[in-house]
Amino acid sequence: MTYRCVHHEVLPMTRPNSLTTMGALIRQHGGELLPAADKPYLTTVAFRQRSVISSLGPLDKAQDAVVVERTYRAEIEQDGHGKERSVIMATGLSTVPYLRMTILTSGGRHWYSFDGAHHGRLLAEPHLFDRAAFADMLDGLSVRAVEDEGGTSMAPQLHVDDFIELLRFTGSDPAAAEELDVSTYSVALDFSDGTDLTYDWSLRGREDSEWEAETVSSMVYRVACSVTLTFRSPKPALKIPGPNRDPAMPDLKDVDAVWAAARARAERGLL
């Protein structure tokens, strides 16, 4: 698939000499992506997608638009004493409007919860966000220019290949939607309170239905997406309580099984 991408200008398909890497840029401004295991730390991953699907009327004017919005948010906390808690929320899913679950690691064991108070055993180690792999990936992304927006904010510019690598790490690979092209993208950093990394992109595409070599209808797809990752030391320090095992909650194999159970509960009205 060929990506047609714009970042304030048409980017060349050959990577120019980079100024630095994204990881180095963050460290230069005091950002900390990989905290020590004994340090309380909070990582937040927030994803938002807004899709507009329109049919084309006379003169290719869009009509009958359908708007779909989806969000995903994970708040991953470590207390510096071997406990880690992840609160995960999702909205805009196809069959249920809202899902929420908690994943807890304590004493080398893993637990899941739907209300944060009652826990069942999670048998496999959860892999929700690999900070070490993310830091390594940022060290491989070349920054071609930096737009200083004043104060603690800046807008690093990445080559299209590096930006797509960033998308793939957080599960947003545009190649998964073969009929859509990346049309615009941007990256922003903010160091006013820890480190905030935000990247936005838009996808667009058109699908024509034909009958006997004549186009009878067309659908236009426009998708706007945004991911914000925050990294900071919480104040005051985190206090994560241990699990409260509920014998009525079955052992579940992995995080996918927890998602499936959360969806089944939501479909029964048990949020």
Side-chain angles (χ1 to χ4, degrees):
M1 180 175 181
T2 300
Y3 299 104
R4 297 186 291 274
C5 299
V6 179
H7 181 116
H8 307 302
E9 59 179 341
V10 177
L11 291 175
M13 292 308 295
T14 56
R15 185 178 287 105
N17 294 330
S18 61
L19 298 176
T20 184
T21 68
M22 180 71 77
L25 181 64
I26 290 174
R27 287 191 294 272
Q28 288 168 9
H29 290 80
E32 185 178 31
L33 298 175
L34 192 59
D38 61 352
K39 179 179 179 180
Y41 207 66
L42 171 63
T43 302
T44 301
V45 182
F47 168 80
R48 180 179 297 275
Q49 175 181 298
R50 186 175 189 271
S51 304
V52 179
I53 305 171
S54 308
S55 60
L56 290 182
L59 302 179
D60 272 0
K61 290 186 177 180
Q63 60 186 13
D64 301 326
V66 176
V67 180
V68 179
E69 294 193 13
R70 295 194 301 122
T71 67
Y72 169 90
R73 182 178 179 88
E75 298 174 355
I76 307 168
E77 306 165 313
Q78 68 177 54
D79 70 352
H81 301 289
K83 292 180 182 177
E84 182 171 292
R85 176 177 59 193
S86 301
V87 179
I88 305 167
M89 296 156 282
T91 66
L93 304 177
S94 57
T95 58
V96 294
Y98 176 78
L99 288 182
R100 178 188 174 98
M101 66 185 192
T102 299
I103 303 296
L104 174 67
T105 295
S106 178
R109 292 188 173 188
H110 313 294
W111 307 85
Y112 72 92
S113 176
F114 301 116
D115 61 5
H118 302 83
H119 296 80
R121 282 290 309 278
L122 180 62
L123 301 181
E125 180 180 359
H127 296 283
L128 299 175
F129 185 81
D130 190 330
R131 297 183 184 90
F134 185 71
D136 288 344
M137 184 270 297
L138 292 184
D139 281 334
L141 299 186
S142 299
V143 174
R144 61 192 297 269
V146 179
E147 298 175 9
D148 190 346
E149 298 183 347
T152 57
S153 300
M154 60 186 60
Q157 294 187 16
L158 304 180
H159 184 271
V160 54
D161 293 339
D162 289 319
F163 185 80
I164 291 173
E165 187 65 26
L166 183 61
L167 297 189
R168 286 177 177 148
F169 188 91
T170 49
S172 304
D173 184 0
E178 290 292 342
E179 76 279 6
L180 301 179
D181 293 311
V182 177
S183 56
T184 61
Y185 67 92
S186 64
V187 180
L189 282 168
D190 186 274
F191 301 102
S192 58
D193 181 18
T195 301
D196 288 7
L197 168 61
T198 298
Y199 45 100
D200 305 275
W201 69 102
S202 62
L203 305 167
R204 65 186 178 190
R206 173 171 172 165
E207 180 179 346
D208 296 324
S209 299
E210 296 184 355
W211 177 259
E212 295 182 351
E214 291 187 8
T215 299
V216 296
S217 64
S218 298
M219 302 295 294
V220 176
Y221 301 85
R222 297 182 179 87
V223 183
C225 304
S226 174
V227 171
T228 298
L229 299 106
T230 65
F231 308 89
R232 57 177 51 92
S233 298
K235 299 176 183 179
L238 290 169
K239 293 183 179 180
I240 300 175
N244 176 25
R245 183 163 192 176
D246 185 340
M249 299 177 66
D251 294 352
L252 294 180
K253 178 182 177 181
D254 51 26
V255 173
D256 287 343
V258 179
W259 271 116
R263 184 185 296 272
R265 284 172 53 89
E267 290 174 347
R268 299 195 308 269
L270 301 174
L271 295 179

